[in-house]
Amino acid sequence: MFIKIADFIAEWQHEADATRKVMDALTDEALNQAITPDHRTLGQLAWHLTTSIHGMLSRTGLEFAPAGDERHAPTSAAAIADAYRNASQAASHAVQTRWTDAKLAETTEMYGDMWPNGLTLRMLIQHQIHHRGQMTVLMRQAGLRVPDIYGPTREDWLESGMQPLI
């Protein structure tokens, strides 16, 4: 749980940058990749991450423009990546300009429980990490190169002349 806006902003910037790298690696052709037909596609996951920023934070009363309707994902990977950029920046700006550290201790009903706003910010980040991990698996299945997030990828190791661990 965050108790300081500055701490959230620092972590959000780091994790949003990582998510942007994943979004920027998507292709239009890969957006339909799914683990099975009854699961979300890569494009649907990317769009869900984009729209859920506003979806989660608007429940706290924080106001900023939504990226769009979650039920209607764009068919363009570039459009999703641009919308993600805008949504993550809008959220960051809204938290910095409309909330104080004291606001982080206030509670809001979230998914049947009462959460402090600082917990909602923590869960927003964890939600991004969770779905970003799902996306990287689907990206590999679609033949896309996965960007480095917390360290080098298999391709990075190979390009540096090292043998990746299996």
Side-chain angles (χ1 to χ4, degrees):
M1 183 173 116
F2 290 100
I3 58 172
K4 299 245 182 237
I5 298 284
D7 293 341
F8 165 73
I9 295 301
E11 191 169 335
W12 178 252
Q13 292 304 332
H14 176 74
E15 294 301 335
D17 286 345
T19 302
R20 278 191 287 276
K21 288 167 70 173
V22 170
M23 296 289 192
D24 288 341
L26 299 178
T27 64
D28 294 350
E29 299 76 27
L31 294 180
N32 290 321
Q33 181 69 41
I35 190 93
T36 64
D38 61 339
H39 283 81
R40 285 180 175 156
T41 65
L42 182 53
Q44 288 167 330
L45 280 170
W47 189 239
H48 170 66
L49 270 185
T50 301
T51 60
S52 66
I53 296 169
H54 181 269
M56 286 183 77
L57 294 181
S58 67
R59 295 173 72 99
T60 68
L62 191 61
E63 295 180 9
F64 59 97
D69 181 356
E70 182 169 356
R71 296 168 296 179
H72 300 98
T75 57
S76 161
I80 295 171
D82 287 343
Y84 178 82
R85 257 182 204 73
N86 292 335
S88 65
Q89 289 171 356
S92 178
H93 179 75
V95 169
Q96 288 181 78
T97 60
R98 295 190 179 107
W99 280 5
T100 63
D101 291 344
K103 183 75 173 172
L104 299 179
E106 292 180 17
T107 59
T108 305
E109 188 279 321
M110 295 291 286
Y111 313 108
D113 289 319
M114 295 302 291
W115 291 5
N117 290 331
L119 176 61
T120 300
L121 294 178
R122 165 61 54 212
M123 296 308 292
L124 177 68
I125 289 174
Q126 289 178 306
H127 182 254
Q128 295 271 305
I129 294 166
H130 164 71
H131 286 306
R132 193 173 65 215
Q134 292 175 321
M135 290 174 65
T136 60
V137 171
L138 292 174
M139 290 171 70
R140 286 233 183 255
Q141 289 179 332
L144 299 180
R145 182 173 180 156
V146 174
D148 61 326
I149 302 294
Y150 298 121
T153 64
R154 181 179 195 281
E155 293 83 1
D156 294 334
W157 283 99
L158 291 171
E159 289 170 359
S160 69
M162 298 181 76
Q163 184 61 39
L165 299 175
I166 296 179

